[in-house]
């Protein structure tokens, strides 16, 4: 059952206004400014409040809290209200960029029925970012504008909707058909099924009908279940019913149950076909993306967290306090004390200490991140065995001190046409010795491929809250490009391109030239990556270890 985007918008706004606590709100996927213009104009004409929630808001901005400046001036705690305490609709400008703390706050408010309808922008498909599945599950409707031109979008919004619409009656067979259809499409949560049932009741009531009809179920399922589909049900083959094996297994009880379920099977099949008709043409690609997003939504290990209340103390900062900062009362009073006489002359009515925003100081702590030293070793050519042997010794020497510094060590070797991560970031000396024994040598020099592998590993380390550093041991004689083909000129240009990408990570790196003579190409490559260059024709494990520690400030 295909629905025009204009009618879908009308029904979504209409049902959300009737029961905002149940339907939650609407996801606007891929909406441009031109698409939003008629929606914003509607809120202006209808005189409805639209409160904007930005991704950089703090929890205090949403939920309210203590106002430190007013509290210090008045001498008692002064509480301020948050944005979520306001009435009206809410507009979330970037759902895919919203921090998890704000998402949890919105989920909590919606579960407690203390939040008005929510309009949420979702541009994650364009930026390869993932929206919160828990927050999306609480928003019943999703409108996709990716293939809709702005001159084709002219919704006819409802004028006045009574919040006291009486729900139409629905049979138990219709309820079961909705639940079965949701399960057939891989929707395991009960919330979308309940939303669909209630939406069908409201749709029937809006058409001045007392009971729910099949068209109401089809329309409600298309609005709520279609964009949540995780699988596509297989078509039922009628020839399977004539199979002799099944006929032998049938008994009287099963025949009686089939007769009782005839009232459910037919509406369920019709409902499934209606949902299938509303699925996009590229449904299988869409489902694959959903699976990838579900696999990426786990919190994982070592996510980045702001830490303002632990670590080594540092001098307090003259900045306004946020959610995670604590006010340094002594420093704040020390900053405000010299101006009290002048301020009280200007504010004659004030008898308390006059504190201005510029006086506020917050505690500052040094929280050191875990360091990852990534060794990128050239394993190509006749001299590779010597480099690999010295690299093994250097890595083992650095691991001996890693327990005290809490550092991680990783090893990537590149040769022939590929790069291999032989040692993921670890502190285990036993595991390191096992992996180092598997180092192989020979073949061409895919320097660009090796740098690309090291940069990708460094990016993963940064996402997990660690601070990566690169140590590259090579003679710089690149002869294999990123495509795996022998081409010295393209191999060098690819290496420069990858190094410029690595410079954007703002991480420390050192290029150790192990050739017999200094290589100017390798020196320029180190410059383009923002790293240090050192020529070391005669290497040994101790020199490499000391050199890496000096250049990476370890």
């Amino acid at each position: 059952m295909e629905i025009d985007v204009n009618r879908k918008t009308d029904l979504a706004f209409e049902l959300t206004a009737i029961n905002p606590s149940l339907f939650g709100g609407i996801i606007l996927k891929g909406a441009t400014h031109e698409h939003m213009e008629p929606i914003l104009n509607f809120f202006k004409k209808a005189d409805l409040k639209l409160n904007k929630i930005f991704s950089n808001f703090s929890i205090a901005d949403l939920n309210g809290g203590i106002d430190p400046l007013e509290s210090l001036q008045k001498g008692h705690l002064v509480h301020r209200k948050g944005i979520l305490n306001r009435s009206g609709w809410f507009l979330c400008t970037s759902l895919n960029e919203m921090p998890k703390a704000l998402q949890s706050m919105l989920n909590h408010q919606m579960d407690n029925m203390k939040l008005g309808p929510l309009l949420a922008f979702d541009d994650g498909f364009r930026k390869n970012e993932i929206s919160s599945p828990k927050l999306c599950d609480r928003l019943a409707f999703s409108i996709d504008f990716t293939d809709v031109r702005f001159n084709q979008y002219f919704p006819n919004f409802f004028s006045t909707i009574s919040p006291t619409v009486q729900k139409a009656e629905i049979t138990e067979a219709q309820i079961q058909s909705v639940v079965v259809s949701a399960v057939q499409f891989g929707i395991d949560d009960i919330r979308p099924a309940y939303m669909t049932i209630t939406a069908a009741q409201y749709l029937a009531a809006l058409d001045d009908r007392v009971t729910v009809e099949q068209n109401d179920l089809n329309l409600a399922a298309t609005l709520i279940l279609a964009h949540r589909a995780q699988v596509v049900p297989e078509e039922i083959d009628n020839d399977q019913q004539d199979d002799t094996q099944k006929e032998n297994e049938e008994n009287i009880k099963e025949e009686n149950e089939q007769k009782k379920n005839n009232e459910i099977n037919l509406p369920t099949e019709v409902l499934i076909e209606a949902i299938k008709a509303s699925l996009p043409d590229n449904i299988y690609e869409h489902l694959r993306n959903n699976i990838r997003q579900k696999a990426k939504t786990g919190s994982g290990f070592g996510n980045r967290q702001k830490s303002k209340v632990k670590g080594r103390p540092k001098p307090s900062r003259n900045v306004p306090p946020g959610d995670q900062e604590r006010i340094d009362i002594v420093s704040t009073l020390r900053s405000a004390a010299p101006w009290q006489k002048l301020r009280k002359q200007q504010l004659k009515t004030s008898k308390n200490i006059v504190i201005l925003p510029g006086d506020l100081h917050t505690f500052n702590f040094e929280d050191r991140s875990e360091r990852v030293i990534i060794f990128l070793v050239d394993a190509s050519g006749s001299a590779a065995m010597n480099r690999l042997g010295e690299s093994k010794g250097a890595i083992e020497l650095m691991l001996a001190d890693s327990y005290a510094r809490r550092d991680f060590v990783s090893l990537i070797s590149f040769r022939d046409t590929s790069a291999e991560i032989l040692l993921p970031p670890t502190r285990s000396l036993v595991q390191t010795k096992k992996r180092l024994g598997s180092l192989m040598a020979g073949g061409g020099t895919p320097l660009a491929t090796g740098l690309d592998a090291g940069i990708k590993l460094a990016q993963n380390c940064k996402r997990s809250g660690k601070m990566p550093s690169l140590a590259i041991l090579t003679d710089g004689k690149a002869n294999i490009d990123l495509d795996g083909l022998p081409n010295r000129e393209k191999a060098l240009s690819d290496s420069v391109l990858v190094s410029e990408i690595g410079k954007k990570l703002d991480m420390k790196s050192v290029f150790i030239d192990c050739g017999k003579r200094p290589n100017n190409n390798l020196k320029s490559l180190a410059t383009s990556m923002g790293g240090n260059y050192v020529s070391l024709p005669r290497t040994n494990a101790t020199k490499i270890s000391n050199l890496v520690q000096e250049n990476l400030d370890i």
Side-chain angles (χ1 to χ4, degrees):
M1 183 177 184
E2 296 184 4
I3 305 178
D4 181 68
V5 66
N6 295 314
R7 189 187 178 201
K8 190 174 184 180
T9 303
D10 298 340
L11 293 174
F13 272 85
E14 195 169 6
L15 293 173
T16 303
I18 293 174
N19 195 341
S21 60
L22 172 63
F23 298 116
I26 307 168
I27 300 175
L28 307 173
K29 186 172 292 186
T32 63
H33 176 72
E34 289 78 8
H35 291 128
M36 284 301 299
E37 188 173 356
I39 297 177
L40 297 177
N41 290 336
F42 159 71
F43 278 94
K44 292 180 181 178
K45 293 179 182 179
D47 197 18
L48 292 175
K49 292 183 179 179
L50 187 61
N51 307 295
K52 294 184 179 180
I53 300 176
F54 297 95
S55 59
N56 59 351
F57 278 3
S58 64
I59 296 180
D61 294 331
L62 293 183
N63 204 31
I66 298 174
D67 191 330
L69 187 60
E70 291 291 330
S71 299
L72 288 172
Q73 288 181 351
K74 296 183 178 180
H76 59 85
L77 291 179
V78 177
H79 295 268
R80 61 181 177 184
K81 292 184 178 181
I83 296 175
L84 299 184
N85 294 322
R86 301 175 183 175
S87 59
W89 290 59
F90 293 86
L91 178 63
C92 179
T93 57
S94 52
L95 182 63
N96 48 294
E97 297 177 356
M98 181 176 290
K100 291 184 178 180
L102 301 189
Q103 297 174 13
S104 301
M105 179 61 64
L106 293 177
N107 293 338
H108 177 72
Q109 294 288 336
M110 295 174 71
D111 291 341
N112 292 333
M113 301 181 182
K114 296 181 179 179
L115 185 65
L118 181 66
L119 298 178
F121 283 99
D122 183 10
D123 287 331
F125 69 100
R126 294 179 179 174
K127 305 176 183 178
N128 293 326
E129 295 176 352
I130 304 164
S131 300
S132 169
K134 294 183 179 179
L135 185 56
C136 292
D137 288 344
R138 288 165 170 79
L139 304 178
F141 309 102
S142 177
I143 303 175
D144 193 351
F145 295 93
T146 53
D147 298 328
V148 180
R149 293 187 177 183
F150 66 91
N151 56 358
Q152 298 175 347
Y153 183 64
F154 39 87
N156 183 19
F157 292 103
F158 60 94
S159 55
T160 55
I161 295 297
S162 174
T164 59
V165 176
Q166 297 295 329
K167 294 189 293 185
E169 295 182 0
I170 187 170
T171 63
E172 185 175 348
Q174 291 174 330
I175 294 175
Q176 292 184 17
S177 68
V178 173
V179 175
V180 172
S181 300
V183 174
Q184 289 289 326
F185 283 91
I187 305 171
D188 300 328
D189 192 1
I190 193 62
R191 183 185 284 112
Y194 180 66
M195 289 178 177
T196 305
I197 294 168
T198 309
Q201 292 178 286
Y202 284 132
L203 290 172
L206 291 174
D207 287 344
D208 297 329
R209 282 183 277 107
V210 181
T211 58
V212 174
E213 297 180 357
Q214 185 64 40
N215 291 333
D216 301 323
L217 290 177
N218 296 344
L219 184 56
T222 304
L223 289 170
I224 298 175
L225 297 181
H227 66 276
R228 288 181 164 85
Q230 301 298 323
V231 295
V232 179
E234 297 180 358
E235 296 183 358
I236 301 174
D237 190 0
N238 294 328
D239 295 335
Q240 292 179 356
Q241 298 178 357
D242 299 331
D243 192 10
T244 56
Q245 294 180 356
K246 290 187 177 181
E247 290 180 357
N248 294 331
E249 296 176 356
E250 290 179 353
N251 50 37
I252 300 175
K253 292 183 179 179
E254 292 180 351
E255 292 178 357
N256 294 333
E257 290 178 357
Q258 289 180 359
K259 292 179 180 179
K260 293 179 180 178
N261 293 333
N262 282 337
E263 298 178 356
I264 303 175
N265 293 334
L266 182 58
T268 302
E269 294 176 6
V270 174
L271 192 58
I272 290 176
E273 293 301 325
I275 298 174
K276 280 185 177 181
S278 64
L279 295 176
D281 296 334
N282 58 344
I283 179 61
Y284 292 103
E285 182 181 355
H286 174 71
L287 295 180
R288 283 195 296 269
N289 293 334
N290 285 346
I291 293 173
R292 294 192 195 103
Q293 287 187 355
K294 277 198 166 184
K296 294 178 182 178
T297 51
S299 59
F301 169 77
N303 288 334
R304 290 176 291 178
Q305 294 181 351
K306 293 182 180 180
S307 178
K308 305 290 180 66
V309 292
K310 62 179 181 179
R312 182 176 299 176
K314 296 174 67 177
S316 59
R317 300 181 302 169
N318 185 13
V319 295
D323 287 337
Q324 298 182 355
E325 289 90 351
R326 294 186 301 170
I327 297 178
D328 188 348
I329 301 295
V330 176
S331 298
T332 300
L333 294 176
R334 186 183 295 115
S335 176
W339 309 98
Q340 291 306 304
K341 187 175 181 180
L342 179 61
R343 291 175 182 177
K344 288 184 177 181
Q345 290 178 356
Q346 295 176 349
L347 303 174
K348 298 180 180 180
T349 57
S350 177
K351 296 182 180 180
N352 298 324
I353 299 176
V354 181
I355 299 177
L356 300 180
D359 301 327
L360 293 178
H361 283 67
T362 58
F363 284 107
N364 189 21
F365 298 91
E366 181 181 4
D367 187 20
R368 182 182 177 185
S369 303
E370 293 176 319
R371 195 197 316 264
V372 181
I373 304 167
I374 303 173
F375 281 89
L376 198 60
V377 181
D378 185 356
S380 63
S382 58
M385 293 302 297
N386 181 35
R387 289 197 295 270
L388 292 180
E390 299 301 334
S391 300
K392 292 178 185 179
I395 292 173
E396 291 183 4
L397 286 174
M398 297 193 67
L399 266 176
D401 298 330
S402 66
Y403 296 99
R405 296 193 308 265
R406 307 301 294 168
D407 289 342
F408 290 81
V409 175
S410 178
L411 175 64
I412 300 176
S413 68
F414 58 94
R415 69 182 187 93
D416 203 5
T417 59
S418 61
E420 183 181 3
I421 301 177
L422 296 178
L423 184 66
T426 182
R427 295 194 189 106
S428 174
L429 188 59
V430 176
Q431 183 184 9
T432 302
K433 288 183 177 180
K434 290 181 180 179
R435 298 292 179 92
L436 290 177
S438 61
L439 277 171
M440 304 294 292
T445 308
L447 181 57
T449 304
L451 288 174
D452 183 59
I455 290 171
K456 288 181 179 178
L457 180 59
Q459 288 175 334
N460 293 333
C461 293
K462 270 201 165 185
R463 292 192 189 102
S464 62
K466 299 181 178 65
M467 185 175 65
S469 301
L470 271 179
I472 302 99
L473 285 80
T474 180
D475 56 6
K477 299 177 181 179
N479 53 17
I480 304 295
D481 60 14
L482 285 174
D483 298 327
L485 301 176
N487 189 333
R488 290 186 179 274
E489 293 182 0
K490 191 173 185 301
L492 182 60
S493 62
D494 288 347
S495 301
V496 174
L497 179 63
V498 174
S499 63
E500 290 175 351
I501 297 174
K503 187 177 182 180
K504 297 179 181 179
L505 291 179
D506 193 21
M507 63 178 175
K508 295 181 180 179
S509 60
V510 55
F511 285 74
I512 302 176
D513 190 349
C514 301
K516 295 181 179 180
R517 296 179 180 179
N519 190 335
N520 292 328
N521 291 333
L522 187 61
K523 186 175 182 180
S524 62
L525 194 66
T527 303
S528 63
M529 194 169 175
N532 299 329
Y533 170 81
V534 179
S535 178
L536 197 65
R538 296 181 180 180
T539 60
N540 60 61
T542 305
K543 285 185 178 180
I544 294 176
S545 177
N546 294 335
L547 194 61
V548 170
Q549 294 185 28
E550 290 175 4
N551 285 270
L552 299 183
D553 296 335
I554 299 176

